[in-house]
Amino acid sequence: MTPEDTVIGLRVERAGPLALLQDGGRFGVRRLGVTQGGPADLHGWAWANRLAGNAWGTPALEITFGGLALVAERDLSLAVAGADLAATLEGKPLPLWQPVRVREGQTLVFATPRNGLRAYLAVAGGFRAEPVLGSVSCVVREGLGGFDGHGATLATGDRLAVSSDAGRRLEAGVAPVPAPPDYTRPAMLALLPGAQVADFTGDSLFAAFNRPWKVDDRADRMGVRLSGPRLACRIGSLVSEGIGLGAVQVPPDGQPIALLNDRQTIGGYPRLGALTPLAASRLAQCLPGQEVRLAATTGERALGDYRRLRRSLER
Amino acid sequence: MSRGIHQETELGGRRGARLPRIESAGLDGWLVRLFERIDEDNLAWLGALARRCEAALGEDLVDLVPSYTTLLVTFDPLGLAPEVARARLEALLADLTPDPAAGTGQVHELPTWYDPRVGPDLEGVAGHLGMSVAEVIDCHAGREYRVFALGFAPGFAFMGLLDERLEVPRLSTPRRRVPVNSVAIAGRQTAAYPAVTPGGWRLLGRTTARLFDRDRDGFSLLKVGDSVRFVPVDRATFERHGGDMTPVEKHS
């Protein structure tokens, strides 16, 4: 990042509850206790970037729940994918999952969730911030990343830096864009069984994969708690060990927690296994009270799904 | 040090299962389980394994998370198919030898002011253990600890093993805000808080060391395998080195 290729692109007219800058995540420092970060919904984030003509990993804005108003400080090309937060441009519905031109002075509002929880806003060339520990991903709890470098969420009055290329026109009709997902439908979450899966009782295993689970209101970027039948494991706790993205841990209260991007790096509860990256993304779009189910999958299928996503994004 | 002095739990139902084991940790990771029990001797093996992984996985390696008995290996599944990664780990384990250098990292001295004003649990711990405050301090500062794992927060090092005589349970209600640099104990472990976080460990004092610094090469002062000694200092020294005098009550 150099001052010459960075300009102010947007001003925060009204900050919502949570809007965070996210690149692909912070890697290589988890051994120091630093969390991964990155977009909670990899799928929506990647498509917003793709539609804005950006490479994988370009910083985009993750807007949770809505309540955010932005004013363009110059002409911009951008794209919004992921959740439908009833976004408007100058009071008119903002087209989602496609490139959009925004004129200087125009107001972009993200209101409330209509389909999903997290929208991704990418501008052509990307948002700009100084990386911290190799990434701009904003982790509030650790005080790392974001536009200020210290993990601050967007605040009213903030002026957001973008690439000086953000005004360039985008070609429409790039790559076959997927139909916007219906995040309101009950989600089937693919899970790769883990090493302790056989330590759960038979009843509990049956319940885990055959009963509906409700997304609890204790849900954030660290993890999402699922409420339902109480799962019993013959292991109470383990010596703490590294935890991967999507790990589904079961504390002694028997209610599973799926761990997402901002999870702690190590932990000691037994795990059913790990959600696939796409299942973790799907869960991140669920609102509290929504119904989800867990479905065991194989590494081969999970890899196939992930490969297809990455290939569909290639330019 | 003898094996099995301390262990949080047994791996129920899996005791006796063959080690090392490679376990699924999601699409992009394998967890290599080398040991069942916490032991300082594990560090030389885990350190050797981490170095070999760096060499064997090269650019496809995304992250390594060493902990007490395990190493989580995360990689890019598009660059390196999970089954290929697993095969490489298996090959690597077949002729793994402990790396004494990895088992003995840097040695750090953490200047620490042990005092109820910054260590509000110091007197309570002494009372609970039937020791004097001076004995608690001598006991805590009288031993060199090893860093078993980093986690919970950036730069938060889980160190052990504490003298058996200092074993106390965590607070039943964790503090909402533990002041930065607090030196604490729980079970057979000790730690220093690199940032203000919630925490349930018992606070004995405060250090002046800068535990996590984004501008420092390597960021974290303490790394897995390092050795740490807490060095008691008086208030004047603590203040001279920029120690934070803010009482705990003001934080929590």
Side-chain angles (χ1 to χ4, degrees):
Chain A
M1 176 168 130
T2 62
E4 298 81 61
D5 64 6
T6 296
V7 295
I8 297 301
L10 291 155
R11 187 179 77 244
V12 181
E13 180 96 328
R14 186 178 74 244
L18 189 64
L20 303 170
L21 190 64
Q22 297 294 344
D23 57 17
R26 193 165 277 112
F27 299 110
V29 284
R30 241 189 283 172
R31 67 176 82 186
L32 306 178
V34 178
T35 196
Q36 168 179 349
D41 173 13
L42 197 68
H43 177 261
W45 166 85
W47 271 107
N49 265 329
R50 175 69 190 90
L51 293 161
N54 298 335
W56 179 274
T58 303
L61 208 51
E62 179 180 283
I63 301 156
T64 302
F65 207 82
L68 175 72
L70 302 168
V71 177
E73 298 252 302
R74 63 185 52 242
D75 292 356
L76 298 171
S77 291
L78 52 81
V80 175
D84 177 352
L85 301 181
T88 55
L89 178 63
E90 290 295 285
K92 298 201 185 80
L94 177 81
L96 307 177
W97 298 83
Q98 58 180 275
V100 177
R101 279 294 281 179
V102 174
R103 296 283 168 199
E104 184 180 337
Q106 290 189 321
T107 304
L108 193 57
V109 173
F110 294 84
T112 53
R114 204 149 53 183
N115 173 23
L117 182 60
R118 295 178 162 96
Y120 291 88
L121 165 62
V123 298
F127 285 97
R128 293 295 174 91
E130 206 63 61
V132 180
L133 276 63
S135 164
V136 304
S137 280
C138 187
V139 180
V140 178
R141 171 171 50 93
E142 295 182 345
L144 297 175
F147 286 98
D148 75 331
H150 287 85
T153 66
L154 292 198
T156 300
D158 281 359
R159 290 155 61 90
L160 310 181
V162 299
S163 158
S164 58
D165 214 14
R168 88 177 126 93
R169 293 191 174 273
L170 296 171
E171 30 171 334
V174 294
V177 182
D182 183 355
Y183 302 114
T184 63
R185 293 180 52 200
M188 259 307 195
L189 305 177
L191 177 141
L192 290 158
Q196 292 102 41
V197 74
D199 294 306
F200 287 84
T201 63
D203 285 358
S204 291
L205 275 187
F206 183 84
F209 293 105
N210 293 283
R211 300 258 184 265
W213 292 91
K214 215 163 85 177
V215 174
D216 195 270
D217 55 11
R218 281 164 287 182
D220 57 22
R221 286 180 45 88
M222 283 180 79
V224 174
R225 216 177 142 85
L226 303 176
S227 59
R230 187 177 189 281
L231 302 183
C233 184
R234 286 180 277 267
I235 305 171
S237 65
L238 307 159
V239 174
S240 283
E241 57 194 38
I243 320 171
L245 177 71
V248 179
Q249 66 176 21
V250 182
D253 69 4
Q255 301 293 280
I257 302 170
L259 297 165
L260 301 184
N261 299 69
D262 289 0
R263 68 195 179 280
Q264 292 183 6
T265 55
I266 61 173
Y269 292 125
R271 297 179 296 275
L272 284 170
L275 300 181
T276 65
L278 289 178
S281 288
R282 179 66 186 82
L283 179 60
Q285 290 292 7
C286 289
L287 287 150
Q290 254 184 268
E291 192 180 297
V292 299
R293 282 172 182 268
L294 301 175
T297 192
T298 63
E300 207 177 328
R301 285 177 64 179
L303 182 60
D305 291 345
Y306 185 65
R307 271 207 184 113
R308 266 190 297 283
L309 167 70
R310 294 297 297 262
R311 282 211 188 111
S312 66
L313 290 158
E314 275 166 21
R315 287 186 280 182
Chain B
M1 169 178 288
S2 68
R3 294 230 144 213
I5 279 181
H6 172 71
Q7 186 176 20
E8 288 179 16
T9 59
E10 297 279 328
L11 279 172
R14 298 189 163 267
R15 235 182 309 171
R18 211 167 57 84
L19 291 173
R21 271 202 309 277
I22 298 174
E23 300 176 355
S24 165
L27 177 62
D28 63 351
W30 294 108
L31 184 86
V32 185
R33 188 178 302 284
L34 288 186
F35 303 100
E36 283 192 20
R37 294 159 191 276
I38 297 172
D39 195 299
E40 290 186 16
D41 294 344
N42 298 356
L43 292 165
W45 289 92
L46 288 164
L49 180 59
R51 281 182 200 186
R52 298 276 312 269
C53 283
E54 282 168 348
L57 274 58
E59 295 220 322
D60 294 316
L61 183 68
V62 168
D63 247 313
L64 290 171
V65 188
S67 190
Y68 303 88
T69 56
T70 55
L71 178 71
L72 173 64
V73 183
T74 313
F75 50 88
D76 173 6
L78 296 186
L80 188 64
E83 288 311 318
V84 178
R86 186 190 173 111
R88 286 203 198 158
L89 292 173
E90 267 166 14
L92 209 154
L93 286 170
D95 63 355
L96 187 68
T97 52
D99 177 354
T104 55
Q106 268 187 279
V107 182
H108 306 272
E109 292 196 336
L110 305 188
T112 301
W113 181 38
Y114 294 91
D115 190 273
R117 279 166 283 185
V118 289
D121 299 321
L122 185 58
E123 289 166 326
V125 165
H128 176 84
L129 298 171
M131 299 165 81
S132 70
V133 164
E135 284 170 331
V136 169
I137 297 170
D138 284 350
C139 197
H140 186 258
R143 188 181 273 224
E144 194 169 281
Y145 302 105
R146 303 297 302 280
V147 177
F148 291 119
L150 268 73
F152 175 61
F156 187 100
F158 292 85
M159 298 177 251
L161 287 169
L162 215 57
D163 190 307
E164 280 172 328
R165 288 176 299 158
L166 282 184
E167 191 168 343
V168 286
R170 289 163 201 228
L171 296 171
S172 48
T173 307
R175 290 185 171 86
R176 287 195 298 120
R177 291 169 62 81
V178 175
V180 65
N181 280 11
S182 291
V183 170
I185 59 172
R188 296 287 307 279
Q189 301 197 75
T190 185
Y193 285 77
V196 177
T197 60
W201 292 31
R202 311 252 175 188
L203 312 185
L204 303 185
R206 217 175 274 177
T207 178
T208 53
R210 193 159 169 75
L211 298 160
F212 194 84
D213 183 349
R214 59 169 71 198
D215 298 323
R216 173 168 53 209
D217 195 26
F219 312 116
S220 178
L221 179 67
L222 309 178
K223 303 210 167 61
V224 171
D226 284 358
S227 298
V228 175
R229 193 174 274 281
F230 294 89
V231 180
V233 296
D234 59 16
R235 178 180 173 165
T237 311
F238 179 77
E239 284 190 282
R240 201 167 55 246
H241 288 97
D244 173 14
M245 291 291 297
T246 316
V248 173
E249 299 71 48
K250 292 272 159 50
H251 286 274
S252 51

